[in-house]
Amino acid sequence: MNWLPWLALLLCPAGVLAQTAGPEEAAPAASATGAGPSIVDHETVVVSGALPGPGLWKVRRDGHTLYVLATVSPLPKRMEWESAGVESVVARSGQVLLPPSFTLDADVGVFRGLMLVPSLLKARRNPEGRRLQDVVPPALYARWVPLKQRYLGRDRGVERWRPIFAAQELYEAAMRRSGLEIENVVDKEVQRMARRHDVPLRGVNFKAQVEDPKTLIREFQTTTLADTDCFARTLARIETDLEAMRRRANAWAMGDVQALQALPVESQYRACIDALTGNGLAPRLGIDDLQPRLQAMWMEAAEQALEQHGTSLALLPLSLVTSPQGYLAQLAAKGYDVQAPQFAVAPAPEDGEDALR
């Protein structure tokens, strides 16, 4: 059984793989020891209402086509996705290929799993009862304080969390306050389409088997993570990138492919993944080489889909679609014909329609 998503969250914060399964490099964050910039928040209006999303990339060979829908996170919270065009592709597809992911799996019963929850929650905390201000540089903690006050209020419990988990909590709160949604609603909707049309879903999932979860959690509780860089980059993204995130979310919602490609992705998640996989527990779980494994698994699945089906659809994070070292670039290097969608925007709303929030 895929037991207790708590452990997967513990070792891999929400949305991490969706942002970092490929070779994307984050832009340098503000120095962990120097004073950071003041909070920049221009409050760009986030679009809502019925919107088309971007067009589909096409990968072709021998008359077969793999359509690729690029996804981004976060997206506008109140967006209604006009997905009829994608659904028509799903309806005639032989397969829908899901984004790369991984799970932690253990053969434990439900009751035993529930008994582990207190230990899992405790494992989020810093070892030896240390507080956040004890484990990050003073200048970095000084940047945390106003951001925490703005987005988390008087939450005191988070002050005892490890930097990587405190940063993720802050990031999610900042997204909610900015009218953005981290949850991948597009993936879920495409899966519903596939079920409606009886189209098989193929997951690209690496499963790490946990033989002794209790021992693993106990070891994790005493392991110090090198997560200062993850913490610093997350703060920097909230301080300076909210405007770009809103623009990126709007560009996706309105189908503006040119704007999507022009906006840089300054993700903090690569540093966070490195913090989680760069300790002694990662080799035991088989996730110290997680990224290349997922990449190889997805490439194999995509080539099989192109060989076996006249039409198929894949969901991929935007960074893996547009990066010069991304998955589509690798398919192009193998001789596949890769075509980007044409520029498109949604039609203007009718009078009286509340299209902007």
Side-chain angles (χ1 to χ4, degrees):
M1 61 180 289
N2 184 12
W3 73 289
L4 279 178
W6 287 101
L7 184 53
L9 281 173
L10 177 68
L11 296 177
C12 185
V16 168
L17 285 180
Q19 295 291 334
T20 64
E24 162 191 59
E25 289 296 329
S31 168
T33 57
S38 59
I39 299 173
V40 176
D41 192 349
H42 297 296
E43 297 294 347
T44 290
V45 175
V46 179
V47 297
S48 63
L51 297 159
L56 300 174
W57 275 255
K58 298 174 186 176
V59 182
R60 289 174 167 160
R61 176 178 280 182
D62 299 330
H64 291 192
T65 302
L66 171 67
Y67 291 88
V68 179
L69 175 60
T71 60
V72 300
S73 177
L75 284 174
K77 187 179 295 184
R78 288 169 37 182
M79 180 190 74
E80 297 175 24
W81 181 33
E82 282 284 359
S83 54
V86 172
E87 183 153 12
S88 70
V89 174
V90 171
R92 64 179 190 272
S93 291
Q95 185 181 79
V96 170
L97 188 60
L98 299 177
S101 63
F102 91 96
T103 55
L104 299 174
D105 197 71
D107 296 323
V108 299
V110 174
F111 178 74
R112 285 185 57 205
L114 290 174
M115 294 295 289
L116 292 172
V117 170
S119 296
L120 285 167
L121 296 177
K122 184 178 179 181
R124 291 184 303 181
R125 301 177 188 171
N126 286 303
E128 301 175 357
R130 288 177 292 178
R131 300 177 66 84
L132 199 55
Q133 62 185 348
D134 302 324
V135 298
V136 300
L140 194 55
Y141 185 76
R143 289 166 53 194
W144 155 267
V145 171
L147 291 171
K148 180 202 174 238
Q149 183 176 8
R150 180 172 188 176
Y151 296 114
L152 292 175
R154 302 180 66 180
D155 185 344
R156 296 181 180 178
V158 73
E159 292 286 344
R160 296 191 178 275
W161 289 10
R162 298 169 187 258
I164 189 171
F165 300 123
Q168 181 66 16
E169 185 80 358
L170 178 68
Y171 178 76
E172 293 182 8
M175 295 306 99
R176 288 192 296 268
R177 285 280 302 274
S178 301
L180 298 168
E181 177 63 67
I182 295 177
E183 185 179 10
N184 202 326
V185 295
V186 173
D187 280 21
K188 290 185 176 181
E189 180 57 31
V190 170
Q191 291 186 47
R192 283 192 286 266
M193 294 175 192
R195 288 191 289 269
R196 278 197 297 269
H197 297 283
D198 295 320
V199 176
L201 294 165
R202 177 169 178 176
V204 180
N205 178 263
F206 176 74
K207 184 179 293 185
Q209 187 69 30
V210 181
E211 301 295 340
D212 186 353
K214 184 177 290 187
T215 298
L216 175 70
I217 295 168
R218 186 163 54 245
E219 290 183 22
F220 189 85
Q221 288 174 349
T222 60
T223 298
T224 299
L225 300 178
D227 52 358
T228 300
D229 189 36
C230 165
F231 187 76
R233 286 173 182 262
T234 304
L235 297 192
R237 193 170 190 203
I238 296 170
E239 289 166 334
T240 64
D241 196 41
L242 278 175
E243 168 73 0
M245 280 189 273
R246 292 192 190 97
R247 290 168 57 198
R248 194 178 302 117
N250 285 352
W252 191 97
M254 300 189 68
D256 191 340
V257 174
Q258 291 181 349
L260 275 175
Q261 293 176 318
L263 287 166
V265 179
E266 300 183 358
S267 175
Q268 74 276 22
Y269 284 128
R270 173 55 63 107
C272 299
I273 281 286
D274 289 345
L276 289 169
T277 59
N279 60 71
L281 299 180
R284 286 180 47 195
L285 291 171
I287 60 173
D288 50 329
D289 58 349
L290 180 63
Q291 305 299 341
R293 285 199 189 196
L294 286 172
Q295 176 179 302
M297 290 171 65
W298 190 91
M299 293 292 291
E300 179 182 5
E303 293 191 82
Q304 287 179 357
L306 278 160
E307 180 181 350
Q308 297 171 5
H309 306 289
T311 301
S312 51
L313 175 76
L315 296 165
L316 267 184
L318 176 67
S319 61
L320 302 185
V321 173
T322 60
S323 168
Q325 295 81 37
Y327 291 7
L328 296 197
Q330 294 184 39
L331 288 174
K334 287 189 169 190
Y336 291 90
D337 177 26
V338 178
Q339 298 178 7
Q342 298 298 311
F343 170 80
V345 309
E350 296 179 4
D351 290 344
E353 180 179 350
D354 182 18
L356 298 179
R357 184 169 67 84

